[in-house]
Amino acid sequence: MGYLILYYLLYITWSLFILRTYQLQSSQTQVLLQLRKHLEYPKQLDIWTDHGTDFCNESSPTQVNITCQDNFISELKLLGDKSAKVSDFDGFAIANQTLSENFSMDSFFVTLARLTSLRVLNLVSLGIWGALPDKIHRLSSLEYLDLSSNFLFGSVPPKISTMVKLQTIKLDDNFFNETLPDQFDSLSNLIFLSFRNNKLKGPFPSSIRRISTLSNLILSKNEISGRLPDLSSLSSLNVLDLSGNKLDSDLPSLPRGLAMVFLSKNSFSSEIPMHYSRLDLLQHLDLSFNSLTGIPPAALFSLPNISYLNFASNTLSGSLPTHLQCGAKLSFVDISNNRLMGALPSCLSNESDKRVVKFDGNCLSTGPHGQHAESYCLEAVHMKRKEYGGKNAGILVGLIVGMLVIMVLLVVGFLTLCRRYCPRGITEQHLLHKAVQDHSARGFSSDILTNARYISEAVKLGSQNPPVCRSFTFEELKEVTNNFDNSSFMGEGSYGKLYKGKLENGTQVAVRCLPSSKKYTNRNLKLRLDLLAKLRHPHLVCLLGHCIDCGGLDNYSVNKVFLIYEYVSNGNFHTHLSENTPGKSLNWSERLAVLIGVAKAVQFLHTGVIPGFFNNRLKMNNILLDEHRIAKLGDYGLSIISEEISNNGRKQEDNKSWQMTILEDDVFSFGFMLIEAIVGPSVSARKGAFLRDELATLNSQDGRRKMVDPVVLATSSQESLSIVISISNKCLCTESWSRPSLEDVLWNLQYAAQVQATADNEQRIGNVTL
């Protein structure tokens, strides 16, 4: 009997060994080797050596993933390092960015089509260029197609509509520049359709309305124009993103199940439909930068799940209802730059808890700051009515354009005369001559520093009626901080000592004492501080004032510089990740909310001012949380004040630290903060060693169980966590040019938050059902 048991054990062991080490069919192996040749032998495919390679079980880098089933390849995922870095593409090879002129798209897809069992194809950032051929339909078993971040050009092949098993199509960040085919309704299993950031034009494909399974439709940043049809038949649609196109119809009807709607930066011109206020699952609605009229439906503000409403930069007019009710989850409202009049409803006042409200650029009776006179809105509404009526439209447009041209010419002439003959202007340019060449303030010319006109409109959109930044005397600061007593001392870093204080009106502040600098004169430094003071955003710690102490000496030497910030009471992000007390540690959704806030702030620093503020030395300790756990970024933009401050900070870092090599890249720093939010500060403290040796383990389930913070594991969905891990990997790429923009990072974080919210809702519904 014992021999029989031993025999069975040996048989089972041998069988498992044979199953574990099976080889692909030789034809499949040949295809992989040919694909490697087509892709011009990228370094990540160096492991594909010859026919003897066990492709199914070979330990591969994170950029390569192959799944096999029954001796055939079922999944092929390749991630390259040739993401599109050009704004325009004419369909031909580009040296060092695309594959060479010898690459043939037809031959490549003929080879791919021999993988007859392929269900998942993911070929991202490989430099593939040219027109996508009709031969793609030969991959008839394909369920998932992702060819993002390549150089695909021309039209989307109509035969893609014959690939009826497709569930996901992602062709983002390419250069398709023709109209979309109108046969998508044959894809009866399609769930996810995305052509974000291409150059597609022509009308919206009406066939999309007949895909009942579609949950995500993303066609943003294209040139799609004309009328947007009724979309209410898309009963499964959860995310709709058509922002940044040229659609000019009335707003369409939308399906009841939508959670995220992005229709900004088009030319929609109707009133906001009343039925939008019956979209009970709606969380995020962005209709900004259109030509919408009327008053937003009051019920929109009180939807049970609504958290974000953006109606900025339209032509909304009239008065909001005084009895307007706001939903419990509503955390952001932007009605700025419209023609609204009357009083601001109490639930939209700045005193509302946990709610950011922007309302500048209207005619509201909230005081003069940020508001126009009522006559401005009445005149604008009257002009709009005349425009719609078609009376004297041509004359009106001609007069406006003519007046603007004359005003611009007058302003340019005036500034030219001032610069030529105004002694002060010449003096300031002379004072800043050296600063223009300064590395720490690269791009900040004397014109930028002395002329507020160079601050973009995004600054105005970011303001929330903040207190005006003013100058303090050194004596005032001594009183504020109790003569800089040790009891007021909060800490010290590379940007100097930090003290807590209280102004005469009771406002608590944080006073940063910067290291002394002999680099700038008093006036030169004042110009730089005034530019820094113009930065206003809901997720930036507000700069309330500054003090330049010359120590009683002349005007050309600076002894000390102090920055006075608002005091943010709830500690920094790092501390909240370290909390072990139940209920205090942030769960995954809360961490995402903090990261999204910081990403918005950094994106504003990069794009909201001209030129942008980079090299912001992002660290977890600089992310502060207020009493409502709203994130605010501190110590931003200080590189403009002193190159020496940055150098001092650099010298204090460990020579082996990640900051040493890529200190100036905010995207890299942000990627490291994402990892720290995932794994916790105890693991991320290893910094460079962690990045080199352990980051790859987050791509496997076992690795996540070992590395990820238990709080994150317990409160996150796998899909949401995977999205953030993926964008973190991209942020931490060795080559700076291959990293994503802050806009891409922000989009991925918002999408991960939406995925997590959906998973949380499904879990709650399941718990109620049980």
Side-chain angles (χ1 to χ4, degrees):
M1 184 68 180
Y3 287 106
L4 185 61
I5 293 174
L6 181 60
Y7 172 80
Y8 278 115
L9 286 174
L10 289 173
Y11 178 80
I12 292 172
T13 303
W14 177 80
S15 300
L16 290 173
F17 178 79
I18 292 299
L19 289 173
R20 176 70 178 85
T21 59
Y22 67 82
Q23 293 288 316
L24 282 174
Q25 288 195 0
S26 60
S27 60
Q28 300 279 287
T29 300
Q30 183 65 34
V31 169
L32 292 179
L33 295 176
Q34 288 181 355
L35 289 176
R36 180 184 177 222
K37 180 179 178 181
H38 281 301
L39 295 173
E40 300 173 356
Y41 303 101
K43 59 184 179 181
Q44 56 266 48
L45 297 185
D46 287 345
I47 57 173
W48 294 3
T49 54
D50 53 35
H51 287 272
T53 302
D54 187 1
F55 291 94
C56 297
N57 299 303
E58 182 74 20
S59 178
S60 303
T62 56
Q63 300 96 329
V64 182
N65 187 282
I66 294 177
T67 302
C68 303
Q69 185 175 356
D70 299 330
N71 297 347
F72 287 88
I73 297 172
S74 58
E75 296 184 15
L76 176 60
K77 300 178 182 179
L78 304 179
L79 175 62
D81 55 7
K82 294 181 179 292
S83 56
K85 305 188 297 299
V86 295
S87 59
D88 203 6
F89 178 63
D90 58 6
F92 296 95
I94 302 176
N96 300 321
Q97 294 199 45
T98 67
L99 296 174
S100 71
E101 296 176 341
N102 297 324
F103 174 75
S104 168
M105 185 74 83
D106 271 359
S107 298
F108 181 72
F109 273 90
V110 166
T111 303
L112 265 179
R114 292 168 58 191
L115 301 177
T116 54
S117 298
L118 197 63
R119 293 186 293 105
V120 175
L121 178 61
N122 191 324
L123 305 176
V124 176
S125 299
L126 292 168
I128 299 171
W129 64 272
L132 193 61
D134 264 333
K135 294 181 178 67
I136 192 173
H137 83 280
R138 298 180 184 178
L139 296 166
S140 57
S141 298
L142 212 58
E143 299 172 5
Y144 185 102
L145 174 65
D146 187 354
L147 302 177
S148 300
S149 298
N150 283 293
F151 293 80
L152 304 181
F153 183 80
S155 61
V156 179
K159 284 196 174 180
I160 203 170
S161 61
T162 65
M163 303 167 69
V164 294
K165 294 184 179 181
L166 274 175
Q167 299 177 22
T168 295
I169 299 176
K170 290 182 66 175
L171 297 174
D172 300 337
D173 302 306
N174 280 288
F175 297 90
F176 293 108
N177 60 351
E178 298 293 339
T179 58
L180 279 169
D182 202 16
Q183 297 88 23
F184 283 108
D185 50 344
S186 60
L187 301 176
S188 57
N189 296 301
L190 193 62
I191 297 173
F192 194 106
L193 179 63
S194 181
F195 288 89
R196 181 173 61 92
N197 196 22
N198 280 277
K199 297 181 181 297
L200 293 165
K201 55 191 176 183
F204 179 90
S206 60
S207 61
I208 290 179
R209 297 184 299 158
R210 296 186 287 275
I211 310 176
S212 60
T213 56
L214 195 62
S215 68
N216 290 60
L217 176 58
I218 303 169
L219 301 176
S220 55
K221 295 185 179 180
N222 281 283
E223 298 176 10
I224 300 171
S225 59
R227 176 179 175 274
L228 186 60
D230 184 342
L231 300 177
S232 57
S233 58
L234 295 173
S235 56
S236 301
L237 196 62
N238 189 253
V239 176
L240 174 65
D241 188 355
L242 301 176
S243 58
N245 280 285
K246 298 180 178 180
L247 298 163
D248 57 8
S249 62
D250 294 349
L251 287 174
S253 297
L254 298 176
R256 295 291 297 269
L258 268 174
M260 312 286 283
V261 178
F262 304 85
L263 297 176
S264 62
K265 297 181 180 177
N266 280 281
S267 299
F268 294 112
S269 57
S270 65
E271 293 188 359
I272 301 173
M274 284 298 299
H275 87 271
Y276 282 23
S277 60
R278 295 190 290 273
L279 303 176
D280 293 338
L281 299 180
L282 191 62
Q283 302 170 21
H284 187 119
L285 177 62
D286 190 348
L287 301 176
S288 58
F289 295 94
N290 282 288
S291 300
L292 301 175
T293 60
I295 301 174
L300 261 177
F301 296 82
S302 59
L303 286 172
N305 293 293
I306 196 69
S307 63
Y308 183 103
L309 286 173
N310 193 344
F311 307 123
S313 299
N314 281 281
T315 55
L316 301 177
S317 60
S319 300
L320 293 169
T322 56
H323 60 276
L324 187 74
Q325 300 293 318
C326 294
K329 297 182 179 180
L330 187 59
S331 60
F332 182 92
V333 177
D334 192 347
I335 54 174
S336 58
N337 296 312
N338 281 285
R339 304 289 184 266
L340 297 171
M341 297 180 289
L344 188 68
S346 58
C347 83
L348 296 182
S349 68
N350 281 339
E351 290 77 18
S352 301
D353 291 341
K354 299 185 294 186
R355 185 170 298 133
V356 175
V357 181
K358 300 182 180 183
F359 53 85
D360 285 355
N362 287 285
C363 301
L364 297 167
S365 56
T366 58
H369 184 73
Q371 300 297 316
H372 298 288
E374 188 172 323
S375 58
Y376 169 84
C377 292
L378 290 173
E379 181 181 0
V381 172
H382 179 66
M383 289 170 62
K384 193 68 179 177
R385 287 173 180 168
K386 289 181 68 177
E387 179 184 342
Y388 280 124
K391 296 178 181 180
N392 301 322
I395 298 175
L396 184 61
V397 171
L399 285 173
I400 293 174
V401 172
M403 289 174 64
L404 287 175
V405 170
I406 293 172
M407 289 175 64
V408 169
L409 291 174
L410 288 173
V411 170
V412 171
F414 178 77
L415 290 176
T416 302
L417 290 173
C418 286
R419 288 174 184 171
R420 178 170 297 180
Y421 298 110
C422 180
R424 181 181 176 185
I426 296 174
T427 303
E428 288 177 344
Q429 290 181 21
H430 174 72
L431 286 170
L432 293 166
H433 177 71
K434 180 181 177 182
V436 175
Q437 302 173 19
D438 175 31
H439 174 74
S440 67
R442 187 186 310 142
F444 292 97
S445 67
S446 59
D447 289 337
I448 294 296
L449 290 165
T450 58
N451 196 335
R453 292 182 304 107
Y454 284 83
I455 303 299
S456 75
E457 289 298 314
V459 176
K460 299 177 183 178
L461 295 176
S463 66
Q464 289 289 310
N465 291 335
V468 177
C469 183
R470 70 179 183 89
S471 295
F472 287 79
T473 66
F474 184 58
E475 293 302 321
E476 283 181 292
L477 293 188
K478 288 172 67 176
E479 185 175 345
V480 165
T481 60
N482 193 21
N483 201 20
F484 296 97
D485 188 76
N486 287 335
S487 61
S488 303
F489 183 66
M490 296 173 62
E492 183 174 8
S494 58
Y495 282 131
K497 295 180 179 180
L498 190 67
Y499 295 87
K500 183 179 178 182
K502 182 180 291 188
L503 302 181
E504 288 185 358
N505 61 6
T507 302
Q508 289 186 319
V509 296
V511 180
R512 172 74 75 186
C513 177
L514 300 178
S516 60
S517 173
K518 307 299 182 184
K519 183 171 186 176
Y520 304 119
T521 65
N522 188 347
R523 184 182 296 178
N524 196 307
L525 190 58
K526 177 68 164 57
L527 291 173
R528 294 171 179 273
L529 290 173
D530 287 344
L531 178 60
L532 191 62
K534 295 179 186 295
L535 301 176
R536 288 291 190 265
H537 190 275
H539 293 289
L540 291 178
V541 177
C542 185
L543 180 63
L544 302 177
H546 49 70
C547 170
I548 302 175
D549 178 33
C550 299
L553 303 176
D554 58 75
N555 191 43
Y556 294 97
S557 60
V558 176
N559 190 21
K560 293 180 181 178
V561 178
F562 300 88
L563 298 179
I564 298 86
Y565 293 100
E566 66 172 316
Y567 177 71
V568 183
S569 60
N570 206 11
N572 60 50
F573 194 19
H574 185 277
T575 302
H576 283 266
L577 295 184
S578 303
E579 284 283 1
N580 295 319
T581 307
K584 289 189 176 182
S585 182
L586 299 177
N587 63 30
W588 179 238
S589 294
E590 292 169 331
R591 298 184 192 202
L592 283 177
V594 170
L595 293 167
I596 288 171
V598 176
K600 289 179 178 178
V602 180
Q603 184 192 26
F604 169 76
L605 292 172
H606 286 190
T607 62
V609 290
I610 302 172
F613 281 76
F614 300 90
N615 184 15
N616 291 287
R617 303 196 64 222
L618 304 177
K619 295 187 293 186
M620 299 295 268
N621 288 339
N622 290 344
I623 302 174
L624 306 179
L625 303 183
D626 67 10
E627 63 273 21
H628 306 300
R629 288 186 170 179
I630 294 176
K632 289 179 176 287
L633 179 65
D635 286 345
Y636 51 86
L638 296 186
S639 60
I640 188 179
I641 299 176
S642 173
E643 179 180 19
E644 292 158 11
I645 292 177
S646 295
N647 286 340
N648 290 340
R650 197 176 308 192
K651 291 173 184 176
Q652 291 176 11
E653 300 289 350
D654 180 359
N655 288 338
K656 296 181 180 179
S657 169
W658 60 276
Q659 284 114 327
M660 285 298 298
T661 55
I662 321 177
L663 178 64
E664 298 183 2
D665 194 324
D666 284 343
V667 174
F668 185 92
S669 301
F670 197 91
F672 194 83
M673 291 196 302
L674 291 177
I675 293 298
E676 189 165 349
I678 294 170
V679 303
S682 60
V683 178
S684 64
R686 286 181 278 194
K687 292 185 177 178
F690 169 77
L691 288 176
R692 284 192 302 270
D693 304 329
E694 301 180 54
L695 182 59
T697 63
L698 290 176
N699 294 313
S700 67
Q701 292 297 327
D702 289 339
R704 291 183 186 181
R705 282 191 288 268
K706 295 176 183 178
M707 300 294 300
V708 175
D709 187 330
V711 175
V712 173
L713 280 178
T715 58
S716 67
S717 70
Q718 287 297 319
E719 184 180 1
S720 177
L721 185 58
S722 295
I723 293 169
V724 179
I725 290 174
S726 175
I727 195 65
S728 302
N729 286 330
K730 294 177 182 178
C731 291
L732 296 171
C733 285
T734 306
E735 299 86 0
S736 60
W737 55 263
S738 64
R739 296 174 198 142
S741 65
L742 249 300
E743 182 182 14
D744 290 330
V745 175
L746 177 58
W747 189 92
N748 278 274
L749 289 176
Q750 289 175 325
Y751 180 55
Q754 184 267 321
V755 169
Q756 184 61 46
T758 301
D760 291 341
N761 288 336
E762 291 175 351
Q763 184 177 5
R764 281 194 292 268
I765 293 172
N767 291 338
V768 170
T769 304
L770 292 175

